Amino acid sequence: MQQRTDMSDGTEGQRTVAKTDEDWQAQRHIPWPSVFKGLTALALLLVLWTVIVYVSSDGDLTLVDVADSFIRLVVVGDSEGHTLIEHTLLSMYRVVLGFTVAIVTAVPLGIAVGRYRVLDSIATPVVEAMRPIPPIAWIPLAILMFSPVLLYSQVFIIWVGAFFPLLINTTAGVRRTEPVHIDVAKTFGANELQILRRVVIPSAAPEIFAGLRVGFGIGWMCLVAAEMVGSGLGLGYLVLIMQQAGRTGGVISGMLVIGLIGFFMNAVFTRCEKRLLRWRQEVAV
Amino acid sequence: MAKLSVHNIVKSYPGEGTTTVRVLDGVSLEIEEGEFVSLVGPSGAGKTTLLKIIAGLLPPDSGEVLIDGEVVGLGHSRVGYIFQQESLFPWLTVRGNIAFGLEIRGVPRDGVQRRTDEMIALIGMRGLEDHYPHEISGGQARKTEMARSLVTRPDILVADEALSNLDAQTRNYLQDEILRIWKDTGATVLFVTHNVDEAVYTSDRIMVLSNIPARIIAEFGVDIPRPRTRTSPECLEYRSKILDILRVEQEKAMQRIGA
Protein backbone atom coordinates (compact mmCIF):
# COMPACT_ATOMS: atom_id res chain seq x y z
CA MET A 1 0.00 0.00 0.00
CA GLN A 2 1.42 3.29 -1.04
CA GLN A 3 1.55 6.02 1.52
CA ARG A 4 0.60 9.32 0.04
CA THR A 5 2.86 11.99 1.40
CA ASP A 6 4.34 13.05 -1.91
CA MET A 7 2.09 16.01 -2.41
CA SER A 8 4.30 18.42 -4.21
CA ASP A 9 1.96 21.32 -3.52
CA GLY A 10 1.58 20.35 0.11
CA THR A 11 -2.12 21.00 0.48
CA GLU A 12 -4.74 19.75 2.84
CA GLY A 13 -2.60 16.84 3.92
CA GLN A 14 -3.61 13.25 3.49
CA ARG A 15 -7.22 12.58 2.88
CA THR A 16 -6.76 8.87 2.67
CA VAL A 17 -5.43 6.92 5.57
CA ALA A 18 -2.95 4.32 4.41
CA LYS A 19 -2.34 1.24 6.51
CA THR A 20 1.04 1.31 8.16
CA ASP A 21 3.14 -1.71 9.06
CA GLU A 22 1.95 -1.47 12.64
CA ASP A 23 -1.63 -1.84 11.53
CA TRP A 24 -0.81 -5.01 9.66
CA GLN A 25 0.97 -6.45 12.64
CA ALA A 26 -1.91 -5.68 14.93
CA GLN A 27 -4.19 -7.67 12.66
CA ARG A 28 -2.24 -10.88 13.16
CA HIS A 29 -3.17 -11.00 16.85
CA ILE A 30 -6.46 -12.53 17.84
CA PRO A 31 -8.97 -9.71 18.17
CA TRP A 32 -10.13 -10.53 21.73
CA PRO A 33 -12.72 -7.74 22.02
CA SER A 34 -14.66 -8.95 18.96
CA VAL A 35 -14.40 -12.60 20.04
CA PHE A 36 -15.84 -11.60 23.37
CA LYS A 37 -18.65 -9.63 21.72
CA GLY A 38 -19.48 -12.59 19.49
CA LEU A 39 -19.65 -14.98 22.43
CA THR A 40 -21.88 -12.58 24.36
CA ALA A 41 -24.27 -12.39 21.42
CA LEU A 42 -24.37 -16.18 21.19
CA ALA A 43 -25.06 -16.51 24.92
CA LEU A 44 -27.88 -13.96 24.64
CA LEU A 45 -29.44 -15.94 21.81
CA LEU A 46 -29.37 -19.12 23.92
CA VAL A 47 -30.98 -17.29 26.83
CA LEU A 48 -33.66 -15.95 24.49
CA TRP A 49 -34.24 -19.46 23.16
CA THR A 50 -34.65 -20.86 26.67
CA VAL A 51 -37.12 -18.13 27.61
CA ILE A 52 -39.20 -18.72 24.47
CA VAL A 53 -39.27 -22.48 25.01
CA TYR A 54 -40.19 -21.95 28.66
CA VAL A 55 -43.17 -19.72 27.88
CA SER A 56 -44.32 -21.73 24.85
CA SER A 57 -46.74 -24.65 25.04
CA ASP A 58 -44.17 -26.94 23.45
CA GLY A 59 -42.12 -26.82 26.64
CA ASP A 60 -39.52 -29.46 25.88
CA LEU A 61 -38.40 -28.32 22.42
CA THR A 62 -34.63 -28.50 22.07
CA LEU A 63 -32.25 -27.33 19.39
CA VAL A 64 -31.74 -30.97 18.47
CA ASP A 65 -35.45 -31.25 17.66
CA VAL A 66 -35.18 -28.28 15.35
CA ALA A 67 -32.16 -29.75 13.60
CA ASP A 68 -34.03 -33.03 13.31
CA SER A 69 -37.07 -31.44 11.64
CA PHE A 70 -34.80 -29.39 9.44
CA ILE A 71 -33.03 -32.47 8.11
CA ARG A 72 -36.30 -34.28 7.74
CA LEU A 73 -37.74 -31.38 5.72
CA VAL A 74 -34.73 -31.38 3.44
CA VAL A 75 -34.64 -35.11 2.87
CA VAL A 76 -38.24 -36.32 3.16
CA GLY A 77 -40.24 -33.12 2.74
CA ASP A 78 -43.57 -32.03 4.20
CA SER A 79 -46.74 -34.14 4.43
CA GLU A 80 -47.24 -33.77 0.69
CA GLY A 81 -43.69 -34.79 -0.06
CA HIS A 82 -42.39 -31.36 -1.09
CA THR A 83 -38.88 -30.81 0.27
CA LEU A 84 -37.53 -27.67 1.85
CA ILE A 85 -35.37 -27.14 -1.24
CA GLU A 86 -38.45 -27.08 -3.48
CA HIS A 87 -40.18 -24.56 -1.25
CA THR A 88 -37.06 -22.41 -1.13
CA LEU A 89 -36.45 -22.45 -4.88
CA LEU A 90 -40.04 -21.55 -5.61
CA SER A 91 -39.97 -18.62 -3.20
CA MET A 92 -36.68 -17.44 -4.68
CA TYR A 93 -38.11 -17.69 -8.18
CA ARG A 94 -41.12 -15.58 -7.22
CA VAL A 95 -39.08 -12.94 -5.45
CA VAL A 96 -36.55 -12.64 -8.28
CA LEU A 97 -39.40 -12.22 -10.75
CA GLY A 98 -41.26 -9.63 -8.66
CA PHE A 99 -38.11 -7.77 -7.72
CA THR A 100 -36.97 -7.58 -11.34
CA VAL A 101 -40.31 -6.10 -12.35
CA ALA A 102 -39.94 -3.59 -9.49
CA ILE A 103 -36.45 -2.54 -10.60
CA VAL A 104 -37.46 -2.22 -14.24
CA THR A 105 -40.41 0.01 -13.36
CA ALA A 106 -39.25 1.96 -10.30
CA VAL A 107 -35.71 2.97 -11.29
CA PRO A 108 -36.51 4.58 -14.67
CA LEU A 109 -39.59 6.24 -13.20
CA GLY A 110 -37.56 7.49 -10.22
CA ILE A 111 -34.93 8.96 -12.53
CA ALA A 112 -37.58 10.70 -14.59
CA VAL A 113 -39.45 12.03 -11.55
CA GLY A 114 -36.23 13.24 -9.93
CA ARG A 115 -34.99 14.99 -13.03
CA TYR A 116 -38.11 16.52 -14.58
CA ARG A 117 -40.20 18.76 -12.40
CA VAL A 118 -43.35 18.30 -14.49
CA LEU A 119 -43.35 14.56 -13.85
CA ASP A 120 -42.62 15.17 -10.20
CA SER A 121 -45.76 17.26 -9.74
CA ILE A 122 -47.85 14.59 -11.47
CA ALA A 123 -46.35 11.48 -9.88
CA THR A 124 -45.74 12.62 -6.31
CA PRO A 125 -49.43 12.99 -5.30
CA VAL A 126 -50.20 9.53 -6.71
CA VAL A 127 -47.25 7.97 -4.92
CA GLU A 128 -48.04 9.71 -1.66
CA ALA A 129 -51.65 8.52 -1.84
CA MET A 130 -50.64 4.89 -2.36
CA ARG A 131 -47.71 4.73 -0.02
CA PRO A 132 -49.56 4.72 3.34
CA ILE A 133 -51.29 1.43 2.41
CA PRO A 134 -49.07 -1.30 3.85
CA PRO A 135 -48.07 -3.69 1.04
CA ILE A 136 -49.52 -6.63 2.96
CA ALA A 137 -52.94 -4.98 2.82
CA TRP A 138 -52.80 -5.46 -0.94
CA ILE A 139 -52.75 -9.26 -0.68
CA PRO A 140 -56.52 -9.91 -0.82
CA LEU A 141 -56.99 -7.47 -3.70
CA ALA A 142 -54.05 -8.98 -5.54
CA ILE A 143 -55.52 -12.47 -5.22
CA LEU A 144 -58.85 -11.20 -6.58
CA MET A 145 -57.20 -9.25 -9.40
CA PHE A 146 -55.04 -12.09 -10.63
CA SER A 147 -57.26 -14.96 -9.51
CA PRO A 148 -56.54 -17.42 -12.34
CA VAL A 149 -52.76 -17.33 -11.88
CA LEU A 150 -51.48 -17.28 -8.33
CA LEU A 151 -47.94 -16.47 -9.43
CA TYR A 152 -49.07 -13.12 -10.83
CA SER A 153 -50.65 -12.04 -7.59
CA GLN A 154 -47.48 -12.97 -5.70
CA VAL A 155 -45.30 -11.10 -8.17
CA PHE A 156 -47.65 -8.15 -7.81
CA ILE A 157 -47.32 -8.16 -4.01
CA ILE A 158 -43.51 -8.22 -4.21
CA TRP A 159 -43.67 -5.41 -6.72
CA VAL A 160 -45.88 -3.30 -4.44
CA GLY A 161 -43.48 -3.86 -1.56
CA ALA A 162 -40.25 -3.15 -3.42
CA PHE A 163 -41.50 -0.46 -5.76
CA PHE A 164 -41.92 2.44 -3.34
CA PRO A 165 -38.59 2.28 -1.50
CA LEU A 166 -36.85 1.91 -4.86
CA LEU A 167 -38.76 4.78 -6.41
CA ILE A 168 -38.31 7.13 -3.48
CA ASN A 169 -34.60 6.43 -3.09
CA THR A 170 -33.93 6.80 -6.80
CA THR A 171 -35.84 10.08 -6.93
CA ALA A 172 -33.98 11.44 -3.91
CA GLY A 173 -30.60 10.41 -5.35
CA VAL A 174 -31.33 12.00 -8.71
CA ARG A 175 -32.49 15.21 -7.05
CA ARG A 176 -29.25 15.43 -5.12
CA THR A 177 -27.15 15.55 -8.29
CA GLU A 178 -24.80 18.52 -8.01
CA PRO A 179 -25.89 21.20 -10.52
CA VAL A 180 -22.23 21.97 -11.19
CA HIS A 181 -21.66 18.40 -12.41
CA ILE A 182 -24.44 18.86 -14.94
CA ASP A 183 -22.91 22.20 -15.97
CA VAL A 184 -19.55 20.50 -16.52
CA ALA A 185 -21.18 18.00 -18.85
CA LYS A 186 -22.96 20.83 -20.67
CA THR A 187 -19.72 22.71 -21.32
CA PHE A 188 -18.60 19.68 -23.32
CA GLY A 189 -21.85 19.75 -25.29
CA ALA A 190 -23.41 16.70 -23.63
CA ASN A 191 -26.97 15.91 -24.68
CA GLU A 192 -29.69 14.95 -22.21
CA LEU A 193 -29.10 11.21 -22.62
CA GLN A 194 -25.38 11.65 -21.95
CA ILE A 195 -26.12 13.81 -18.91
CA LEU A 196 -28.39 11.07 -17.56
CA ARG A 197 -26.00 8.22 -18.28
CA ARG A 198 -22.72 9.85 -17.39
CA VAL A 199 -23.71 12.22 -14.58
CA VAL A 200 -27.16 11.74 -13.06
CA ILE A 201 -27.20 7.95 -12.73
CA PRO A 202 -23.65 7.48 -11.37
CA SER A 203 -24.27 10.33 -8.97
CA ALA A 204 -27.51 8.73 -7.73
CA ALA A 205 -26.04 5.21 -7.61
CA PRO A 206 -25.51 5.11 -3.82
CA GLU A 207 -29.16 5.97 -3.16
CA ILE A 208 -30.35 3.56 -5.83
CA PHE A 209 -28.35 0.81 -4.15
CA ALA A 210 -29.82 1.64 -0.76
CA GLY A 211 -33.24 1.42 -2.42
CA LEU A 212 -32.41 -2.01 -3.83
CA ARG A 213 -31.46 -3.30 -0.41
CA VAL A 214 -34.49 -1.91 1.36
CA GLY A 215 -36.80 -2.82 -1.53
CA PHE A 216 -35.64 -6.43 -1.58
CA GLY A 217 -36.13 -6.73 2.17
CA ILE A 218 -39.70 -5.50 1.96
CA GLY A 219 -40.44 -7.53 -1.16
CA TRP A 220 -39.22 -10.69 0.57
CA MET A 221 -41.34 -9.95 3.61
CA CYS A 222 -44.41 -9.39 1.44
CA LEU A 223 -43.85 -12.63 -0.44
CA VAL A 224 -43.74 -14.69 2.74
CA ALA A 225 -46.97 -13.08 3.87
CA ALA A 226 -48.58 -13.62 0.47
CA GLU A 227 -47.57 -17.28 0.46
CA MET A 228 -49.22 -17.74 3.83
CA VAL A 229 -52.48 -16.39 2.47
CA GLY A 230 -52.45 -17.56 -1.11
CA SER A 231 -50.96 -21.05 -0.63
CA GLY A 232 -49.33 -23.07 -3.38
CA LEU A 233 -45.80 -23.99 -2.43
CA GLY A 234 -43.19 -21.69 -0.92
CA LEU A 235 -41.50 -20.96 2.38
CA GLY A 236 -44.37 -18.90 3.77
CA TYR A 237 -46.77 -21.70 2.91
CA LEU A 238 -44.43 -24.26 4.46
CA VAL A 239 -44.27 -22.36 7.75
CA LEU A 240 -48.06 -22.13 7.79
CA ILE A 241 -48.72 -25.85 7.18
CA MET A 242 -46.09 -26.80 9.75
CA GLN A 243 -47.95 -24.62 12.26
CA GLN A 244 -51.26 -26.24 11.32
CA ALA A 245 -49.68 -29.67 11.83
CA GLY A 246 -48.35 -28.54 15.20
CA ARG A 247 -44.71 -29.09 14.16
CA THR A 248 -42.87 -26.32 15.93
CA GLY A 249 -39.48 -27.60 14.73
CA GLY A 250 -40.67 -27.39 11.14
CA VAL A 251 -41.96 -23.85 11.67
CA ILE A 252 -38.61 -22.77 13.06
CA SER A 253 -36.73 -24.50 10.23
CA GLY A 254 -38.78 -22.55 7.69
CA MET A 255 -38.20 -19.31 9.57
CA LEU A 256 -34.47 -19.98 9.62
CA VAL A 257 -34.33 -20.38 5.87
CA ILE A 258 -36.42 -17.23 5.35
CA GLY A 259 -34.05 -15.31 7.60
CA LEU A 260 -30.94 -16.78 6.01
CA ILE A 261 -32.06 -15.81 2.51
CA GLY A 262 -32.82 -12.27 3.67
CA PHE A 263 -29.43 -12.08 5.33
CA PHE A 264 -27.64 -13.55 2.34
CA MET A 265 -29.27 -11.19 -0.14
CA ASN A 266 -28.45 -8.22 2.02
CA ALA A 267 -24.82 -9.35 2.12
CA VAL A 268 -24.80 -9.70 -1.68
CA PHE A 269 -26.12 -6.16 -2.10
CA THR A 270 -23.63 -4.76 0.37
CA ARG A 271 -20.75 -6.47 -1.43
CA CYS A 272 -21.84 -5.18 -4.82
CA GLU A 273 -22.22 -1.76 -3.32
CA LYS A 274 -18.70 -1.80 -1.92
CA ARG A 275 -17.26 -2.91 -5.23
CA LEU A 276 -19.19 -0.55 -7.47
CA LEU A 277 -19.06 2.45 -5.17
CA ARG A 278 -15.36 2.34 -4.34
CA TRP A 279 -15.26 6.04 -5.10
CA ARG A 280 -17.18 6.85 -1.95
CA GLN A 281 -15.24 7.47 1.20
CA GLU A 282 -17.65 5.35 3.15
CA VAL A 283 -20.48 3.12 2.13
CA ALA A 284 -23.64 3.77 4.08
CA VAL A 285 -25.05 0.52 5.43
CA MET B 1 -10.32 39.53 -35.25
CA ALA B 2 -10.72 39.03 -31.53
CA LYS B 3 -10.88 35.45 -30.27
CA LEU B 4 -13.72 36.34 -27.95
CA SER B 5 -15.99 39.35 -28.23
CA VAL B 6 -18.72 40.08 -25.75
CA HIS B 7 -21.16 42.75 -26.93
CA ASN B 8 -23.36 44.70 -24.59
CA ILE B 9 -24.52 41.84 -22.40
CA VAL B 10 -27.50 42.65 -20.18
CA LYS B 11 -28.82 40.23 -17.58
CA SER B 12 -31.38 40.67 -14.80
CA TYR B 13 -32.53 38.30 -12.11
CA PRO B 14 -35.91 38.34 -10.37
CA GLY B 15 -35.60 40.24 -7.09
CA GLU B 16 -38.04 40.56 -4.20
CA GLY B 17 -41.69 40.55 -5.27
CA THR B 18 -42.15 41.71 -8.82
CA THR B 19 -38.90 43.66 -9.06
CA THR B 20 -35.90 42.58 -11.06
CA VAL B 21 -32.27 43.17 -10.20
CA ARG B 22 -30.11 44.14 -13.13
CA VAL B 23 -26.81 42.36 -12.66
CA LEU B 24 -25.00 43.00 -15.93
CA ASP B 25 -25.62 46.37 -17.51
CA GLY B 26 -24.14 46.24 -20.98
CA VAL B 27 -20.83 44.47 -20.49
CA SER B 28 -18.55 44.43 -23.51
CA LEU B 29 -15.03 43.05 -23.79
CA GLU B 30 -12.65 41.56 -26.29
CA ILE B 31 -9.89 39.02 -25.85
CA GLU B 32 -7.22 38.25 -28.42
CA GLU B 33 -6.04 34.76 -29.25
CA GLY B 34 -3.56 33.46 -26.70
CA GLU B 35 -4.16 36.33 -24.30
CA PHE B 36 -4.36 35.90 -20.52
CA VAL B 37 -7.01 38.30 -19.23
CA SER B 38 -8.23 38.74 -15.68
CA LEU B 39 -11.55 40.11 -14.58
CA VAL B 40 -11.71 41.55 -11.08
CA GLY B 41 -14.70 43.07 -9.32
CA PRO B 42 -16.45 43.46 -5.99
CA SER B 43 -18.42 40.63 -4.39
CA GLY B 44 -21.64 39.74 -6.15
CA ALA B 45 -20.80 41.80 -9.22
CA GLY B 46 -22.14 39.17 -11.58
CA LYS B 47 -18.76 37.73 -12.55
CA THR B 48 -20.06 34.17 -12.48
CA THR B 49 -23.15 35.21 -14.43
CA LEU B 50 -20.96 36.75 -17.13
CA LEU B 51 -18.81 33.62 -17.39
CA LYS B 52 -21.86 31.37 -17.60
CA ILE B 53 -23.26 33.50 -20.40
CA ILE B 54 -19.94 33.34 -22.25
CA ALA B 55 -19.86 29.55 -21.79
CA GLY B 56 -23.41 29.15 -23.09
CA LEU B 57 -24.77 27.93 -19.76
CA LEU B 58 -27.07 30.94 -19.28
CA PRO B 59 -28.93 33.02 -21.85
CA PRO B 60 -28.37 36.81 -21.70
CA ASP B 61 -31.40 39.13 -21.76
CA SER B 62 -29.72 40.97 -24.61
CA GLY B 63 -26.33 41.26 -26.21
CA GLU B 64 -24.23 38.61 -27.87
CA VAL B 65 -21.13 36.51 -27.51
CA LEU B 66 -18.87 35.91 -30.50
CA ILE B 67 -16.04 33.41 -30.77
CA ASP B 68 -13.82 33.87 -33.83
CA GLY B 69 -16.43 36.34 -35.08
CA GLU B 70 -19.20 33.77 -34.90
CA VAL B 71 -22.21 34.27 -32.64
CA VAL B 72 -22.54 31.44 -30.12
CA GLY B 73 -25.68 30.66 -28.17
CA LEU B 74 -26.93 28.56 -25.32
CA GLY B 75 -25.46 25.06 -25.25
CA HIS B 76 -22.37 25.71 -27.36
CA SER B 77 -19.26 23.89 -26.22
CA ARG B 78 -16.32 26.02 -27.28
CA VAL B 79 -15.43 27.26 -23.80
CA GLY B 80 -13.60 25.21 -21.19
CA TYR B 81 -14.88 26.11 -17.74
CA ILE B 82 -13.23 25.78 -14.36
CA PHE B 83 -15.97 26.24 -11.82
CA GLN B 84 -15.76 28.09 -8.54
CA GLN B 85 -16.56 25.06 -6.40
CA GLU B 86 -14.86 21.70 -6.68
CA SER B 87 -16.47 19.99 -9.64
CA LEU B 88 -14.61 16.73 -10.28
CA PHE B 89 -16.93 13.74 -10.63
CA PRO B 90 -16.29 11.77 -7.43
CA TRP B 91 -17.19 8.48 -9.11
CA LEU B 92 -14.45 8.81 -11.74
CA THR B 93 -10.70 8.56 -11.23
CA VAL B 94 -8.39 11.40 -12.19
CA ARG B 95 -8.00 9.72 -15.56
CA GLY B 96 -11.73 9.19 -15.96
CA ASN B 97 -12.41 12.83 -15.12
CA ILE B 98 -9.89 14.11 -17.66
CA ALA B 99 -11.19 11.74 -20.34
CA PHE B 100 -14.82 12.76 -19.72
CA GLY B 101 -15.04 15.57 -22.27
CA LEU B 102 -13.41 13.51 -25.01
CA GLU B 103 -15.80 10.63 -24.38
CA ILE B 104 -18.79 12.97 -24.52
CA ARG B 105 -17.49 14.22 -27.87
CA GLY B 106 -17.25 10.64 -29.14
CA VAL B 107 -13.47 10.68 -29.66
CA PRO B 108 -12.26 7.13 -30.50
CA ARG B 109 -10.78 5.19 -27.62
CA ASP B 110 -7.10 5.38 -28.61
CA GLY B 111 -7.41 9.13 -29.11
CA VAL B 112 -8.96 9.47 -25.66
CA GLN B 113 -6.14 7.41 -24.18
CA ARG B 114 -3.38 9.38 -25.87
CA ARG B 115 -4.70 12.85 -25.14
CA THR B 116 -5.59 11.95 -21.57
CA ASP B 117 -2.03 10.70 -21.04
CA GLU B 118 -0.68 13.94 -22.48
CA MET B 119 -2.77 16.02 -20.08
CA ILE B 120 -1.82 13.88 -17.08
CA ALA B 121 1.82 14.48 -17.96
CA LEU B 122 1.24 18.19 -18.56
CA ILE B 123 -0.24 18.75 -15.11
CA GLY B 124 2.38 16.54 -13.48
CA MET B 125 -0.07 13.99 -12.09
CA ARG B 126 1.56 10.81 -13.38
CA GLY B 127 1.22 8.04 -10.81
CA LEU B 128 -1.95 9.63 -9.41
CA GLU B 129 -4.18 9.02 -12.43
CA ASP B 130 -5.98 6.06 -10.88
CA HIS B 131 -6.84 7.89 -7.66
CA TYR B 132 -10.36 9.05 -6.91
CA PRO B 133 -10.98 12.74 -6.19
CA HIS B 134 -11.33 12.15 -2.44
CA GLU B 135 -7.81 10.71 -2.45
CA ILE B 136 -6.03 13.75 -3.88
CA SER B 137 -5.37 17.21 -2.42
CA GLY B 138 -7.33 20.36 -3.20
CA GLY B 139 -4.52 21.70 -5.36
CA GLN B 140 -4.27 18.47 -7.32
CA ALA B 141 -8.05 18.55 -7.78
CA ARG B 142 -7.76 22.04 -9.28
CA LYS B 143 -5.09 20.91 -11.69
CA THR B 144 -7.19 17.92 -12.70
CA GLU B 145 -10.14 20.23 -13.38
CA MET B 146 -7.90 22.38 -15.51
CA ALA B 147 -6.74 19.34 -17.47
CA ARG B 148 -10.34 18.18 -17.87
CA SER B 149 -11.28 21.55 -19.36
CA LEU B 150 -8.26 21.79 -21.65
CA VAL B 151 -8.22 18.26 -23.02
CA THR B 152 -10.88 19.03 -25.64
CA ARG B 153 -8.80 22.05 -26.78
CA PRO B 154 -11.50 24.65 -26.18
CA ASP B 155 -11.22 28.01 -27.92
CA ILE B 156 -11.21 29.78 -24.58
CA LEU B 157 -10.58 28.66 -21.01
CA VAL B 158 -12.57 30.53 -18.38
CA ALA B 159 -11.84 30.11 -14.68
CA ASP B 160 -14.17 31.32 -11.96
CA GLU B 161 -12.19 32.16 -8.83
CA ALA B 162 -10.53 28.83 -9.35
CA LEU B 163 -7.92 29.38 -6.67
CA SER B 164 -9.95 31.23 -4.06
CA ASN B 165 -10.46 28.36 -1.63
CA LEU B 166 -6.82 27.33 -1.44
CA ASP B 167 -4.16 28.28 1.05
CA ALA B 168 -1.63 30.93 0.05
CA GLN B 169 1.27 28.58 -0.80
CA THR B 170 -0.88 26.33 -2.96
CA ARG B 171 -2.36 29.36 -4.66
CA ASN B 172 1.05 30.78 -5.53
CA TYR B 173 2.19 27.41 -6.78
CA LEU B 174 -0.92 26.95 -8.92
CA GLN B 175 -0.61 30.45 -10.40
CA ASP B 176 2.78 29.41 -11.73
CA GLU B 177 1.33 26.11 -12.90
CA ILE B 178 -1.48 27.88 -14.74
CA LEU B 179 1.02 30.19 -16.43
CA ARG B 180 3.14 27.22 -17.43
CA ILE B 181 0.17 25.28 -18.82
CA TRP B 182 -1.11 28.42 -20.57
CA LYS B 183 2.28 28.87 -22.25
CA ASP B 184 2.53 25.17 -23.18
CA THR B 185 -0.95 25.01 -24.69
CA GLY B 186 -1.26 28.51 -26.13
CA ALA B 187 -4.74 28.71 -24.62
CA THR B 188 -6.78 31.89 -24.46
CA VAL B 189 -7.65 32.49 -20.83
CA LEU B 190 -10.28 34.57 -19.06
CA PHE B 191 -9.57 34.38 -15.38
CA VAL B 192 -12.06 35.73 -12.86
CA THR B 193 -10.68 36.51 -9.43
CA HIS B 194 -11.22 38.77 -6.46
CA ASN B 195 -7.52 38.63 -5.74
CA VAL B 196 -5.84 41.65 -7.34
CA ASP B 197 -2.42 40.28 -6.49
CA GLU B 198 -3.17 37.17 -8.49
CA ALA B 199 -4.48 39.19 -11.43
CA VAL B 200 -1.37 41.38 -11.58
CA TYR B 201 0.97 38.42 -11.24
CA THR B 202 -0.60 36.37 -14.03
CA SER B 203 -2.34 38.57 -16.60
CA ASP B 204 -1.60 40.37 -19.84
CA ARG B 205 -4.59 42.56 -19.21
CA ILE B 206 -6.90 43.24 -16.26
CA MET B 207 -10.47 44.41 -16.52
CA VAL B 208 -12.34 45.84 -13.55
CA LEU B 209 -16.03 45.27 -13.14
CA SER B 210 -18.16 47.77 -11.18
CA ASN B 211 -20.70 47.05 -8.49
CA ILE B 212 -24.07 45.95 -9.93
CA PRO B 213 -25.51 46.88 -12.33
CA ALA B 214 -22.08 45.92 -13.55
CA ARG B 215 -20.08 47.31 -16.44
CA ILE B 216 -16.39 47.35 -17.13
CA ILE B 217 -15.09 50.55 -15.59
CA ALA B 218 -11.36 50.23 -16.04
CA GLU B 219 -8.81 48.26 -17.99
CA PHE B 220 -5.07 47.87 -17.47
CA GLY B 221 -2.51 46.34 -19.80
CA VAL B 222 0.04 44.80 -17.48
CA ASP B 223 3.30 45.62 -19.16
CA ILE B 224 5.72 43.67 -17.00
CA PRO B 225 7.82 40.84 -18.44
CA ARG B 226 7.35 37.37 -16.96
CA PRO B 227 8.40 35.82 -14.64
CA ARG B 228 7.12 38.60 -12.43
CA THR B 229 8.00 39.29 -8.85
CA ARG B 230 4.92 39.75 -6.73
CA THR B 231 6.53 42.39 -4.57
CA SER B 232 8.29 44.35 -7.33
CA PRO B 233 7.51 48.12 -7.43
CA GLU B 234 5.78 47.77 -10.83
CA CYS B 235 3.48 45.03 -9.57
CA LEU B 236 2.67 46.99 -6.44
CA GLU B 237 1.88 50.07 -8.50
CA TYR B 238 -0.67 48.23 -10.62
CA ARG B 239 -2.01 46.67 -7.53
CA SER B 240 -2.64 49.92 -5.69
CA LYS B 241 -4.26 51.54 -8.76
CA ILE B 242 -6.69 48.67 -9.13
CA LEU B 243 -7.36 48.42 -5.42
CA ASP B 244 -8.26 52.13 -5.30
CA ILE B 245 -10.96 51.61 -7.89
CA LEU B 246 -12.17 48.42 -6.30
CA ARG B 247 -12.41 49.95 -2.84
CA VAL B 248 -15.06 52.41 -4.01
CA GLU B 249 -17.01 49.65 -5.77
CA GLN B 250 -16.72 47.29 -2.83
CA GLU B 251 -18.18 49.98 -0.53
CA LYS B 252 -21.16 50.36 -2.87
CA ALA B 253 -21.54 46.60 -2.88
CA MET B 254 -21.44 46.46 0.91
CA GLN B 255 -24.14 49.15 1.17
CA ARG B 256 -26.25 47.21 -1.28
CA ILE B 257 -26.12 43.97 0.66
CA GLY B 258 -26.54 45.93 3.92
CA ALA B 259 -23.35 44.77 5.59
Side-chain angles (χ1 to χ4, degrees), chain A:
Chain A
M1 190 153 285
Q2 185 198 2
Q3 188 142 8
R4 300 265 330 288
T5 46
D6 55 334
M7 297 197 184
S8 43
D9 50 5
T11 49
E12 286 198 36
Q14 257 167 266
R15 291 205 220 162
T16 45
V17 182
K19 281 216 164 85
T20 63
D21 289 345
E22 280 169 46
D23 288 335
W24 288 115
Q25 257 170 10
Q27 279 186 356
R28 257 180 247 134
H29 296 294
I30 296 165
W32 287 115
S34 26
V35 168
F36 181 71
K37 276 182 215 157
L39 286 175
T40 314
L42 201 63
L44 272 174
L45 273 175
L46 284 173
V47 169
L48 199 64
W49 173 266
T50 317
V51 171
I52 290 171
V53 168
Y54 182 75
V55 298
S56 70
S57 54
D58 203 349
D60 51 357
L61 186 76
T62 64
L63 286 169
V64 178
D65 295 331
V66 176
D68 179 61
S69 350
F70 186 87
I71 293 164
R72 199 149 1 146
L73 275 176
V74 173
V75 181
V76 186
D78 57 21
S79 49
E80 291 150 36
H82 298 294
T83 64
L84 186 58
I85 315 276
E86 280 174 70
H87 288 289
T88 307
L89 286 178
L90 194 65
S91 289
M92 292 287 281
Y93 170 67
R94 288 167 181 158
V95 83
V96 165
L97 214 59
F99 192 54
T100 309
V101 177
I103 293 173
V104 170
T105 50
V107 173
L109 187 64
I111 291 167
V113 168
R115 177 114 179 97
Y116 310 110
R117 203 163 293 170
V118 190
L119 283 177
D120 186 17
S121 52
I122 298 168
T124 304
V126 180
V127 170
E128 289 306 314
M130 307 278 272
R131 205 157 63 106
I133 305 171
I136 291 172
W138 283 87
I139 294 174
L141 182 63
I143 292 172
L144 282 177
M145 275 162 45
F146 301 98
S147 58
V149 189
L150 196 63
L151 176 67
Y152 293 171
S153 68
Q154 284 157 340
V155 165
F156 177 78
I157 290 299
I158 297 162
W159 176 81
V160 169
F163 180 81
F164 291 105
L166 256 173
L167 178 77
I168 287 159
N169 270 282
T170 307
T171 307
V174 167
R175 271 199 207 116
R176 257 196 291 269
T177 311
E178 293 276 349
V180 70
H181 287 151
I182 293 169
D183 274 349
V184 168
K186 282 185 180 164
T187 63
F188 293 114
N191 58 36
E192 181 61 21
L193 195 67
Q194 286 175 316
I195 290 175
L196 284 177
R197 265 181 29 136
R198 299 294 316 266
V199 181
V200 173
I201 293 173
S203 161
E207 278 92 349
I208 296 176
F209 259 100
L212 287 176
R213 244 183 317 115
V214 176
F216 185 86
I218 298 180
W220 185 233
M221 185 183 81
C222 293
L223 172 70
V224 172
E227 285 174 342
M228 286 182 183
V229 179
S231 87
L233 288 167
L235 287 167
Y237 173 71
L238 173 71
V239 170
L240 192 76
I241 58 169
M242 287 294 117
Q243 176 250 311
Q244 283 161 354
R247 288 167 60 181
T248 315
V251 171
I252 294 173
S253 300
M255 288 168 67
L256 273 176
V257 176
I258 291 168
L260 274 174
I261 290 172
F263 174 82
F264 177 74
M265 287 308 291
N266 194 57
V268 168
F269 284 125
T270 312
R271 266 197 89 114
C272 291
E273 225 171 313
K274 279 204 170 123
R275 275 189 77 112
L276 290 171
L277 308 178
R278 256 176 325 175
W279 53 272
R280 298 195 90 199
Q281 279 158 290
E282 74 289 298
V283 172
V285 175

